Amino acid sequence: EPEVTQTPSHQVTQMGQEVILRCVPISNHLYFYWYRQILGQKVEFLVSFYNNEISEKSEIFDDQFSVERPDGSNFTLKIRSTKLEDSAMYFCASSEGAGRGEKLFFGSGTQLSVL
Amino acid sequence: ILNVEQSPQSLHVQEGDSTNFTCSFPSSNFYALHWYRWETAKSPEALFVMTLNGDEKKKGRISATLNTKEGYSYLYIKGSQPEDSATYLCASITGANNLFFGTGTRLTVIP
């Protein structure tokens, strides 16, 4: 069964460093998303992406964050200058469409630890 | 931002018991409600996407109901098995397909 893959599974970085989290969505999907979960809190929406541009973004997704689809398969989340509070599990997801009954397919996440 | 709440936060049941948990969400401007099953170290897996008031969906021993007028959904597991142990997340959704999640119900099924 097709799946969303994320790399790396764990990333440790120093505060102020840039990180890039990588995702390979399901190949025929057109909509891509990033979510995150800070330990003990709810899973939160960051950004959605369609047709090579951001569709929606949350308040969390400030100028420190950016997303890109550099080629036909990868979808990346970049955090320019990491802060301690960016430590979280980051999930990539994709969906075929954006219709009302559309399921999202999630990857298994990248655990980001900022020291 | 949609405020989605789930209860209980955690639940321990004996193998063979049936159980249920609740998701509550804002009923105004309802669009869709998702249930996900999330096992540790794995991807959250979609169980159900529900859109209509009165919807009932079933997948094996797991079923869900939806009441959009009062803003709640129930997830039922019949005859719980150890492999049902997971966190069950519900999420309400705006028209833009942005999911707003509850905190989840962590289910442990004791053999």
Side-chain angles (χ1 to χ4, degrees), chain A residues 89-109:
Chain A
M89 178 74 89
Y90 287 81
F91 291 100
C92 173
S94 68
S95 64
E96 217 172 322
R100 201 172 171 195
E102 202 73 44
K103 253 190 249 192
L104 268 63
F105 292 79
F106 283 84
S108 54

Side-chain angles (χ1 to χ4, degrees), chain A residues 4 31 33 35 37 40-45 47-48 56-57 59 89 91 95 97-109, chain B residues 1-5 30-32 34 36 38 41-44 46-47 49 51-52 59 89 93 95-103:
Chain A
V4 176
Y31 293 80
Y33 313 85
Y35 286 81
Q37 187 185 37
Q41 297 185 23
K42 295 179 179 180
V43 175
E44 303 171 291
F45 167 75
V47 66
S48 58
E56 295 281 335
K57 59 182 181 177
E59 289 173 358
M89 178 74 89
F91 291 100
S95 64
R100 201 172 171 195
E102 202 73 44
K103 253 190 249 192
L104 268 63
F105 292 79
F106 283 84
S108 54
Chain B
I1 295 179
L2 300 180
N3 190 27
V4 178
E5 301 292 340
F30 173 80
Y31 195 69
H34 290 219
Y36 288 85
W38 184 19
K42 293 189 178 178
S43 314
L47 289 172
V49 178
T51 57
L52 297 175
K59 186 176 182 178
L89 294 167
I93 195 164
N97 231 26
N98 308 338
L99 294 171
F100 292 89
F101 283 88
T103 46

Side-chain angles (χ1 to χ4, degrees), chain B residues 15-27:
Chain B
E15 182 176 350
D17 285 353
S18 294
T19 188
N20 65 85
F21 14 98
T22 306
C23 171
S24 60
F25 54 87
S27 55

Side-chain angles (χ1 to χ4, degrees), chain A residues 36-39 83-90 111-115:
Chain A
R36 77 174 186 189
Q37 187 185 37
I38 294 170
L39 188 64
K83 303 178 207 137
L84 296 176
E85 54 265 37
D86 295 327
S87 295
M89 178 74 89
Y90 287 81
Q111 180 66 56
L112 176 66
S113 299
V114 182
L115 305 178

Side-chain angles (χ1 to χ4, degrees), chain A residues 59-73:
Chain A
E59 289 173 358
I60 303 166
F61 194 89
D62 60 22
D63 292 344
Q64 293 286 85
F65 292 87
S66 61
V67 288
E68 196 179 27
R69 189 151 161 84
D71 53 42
S73 59

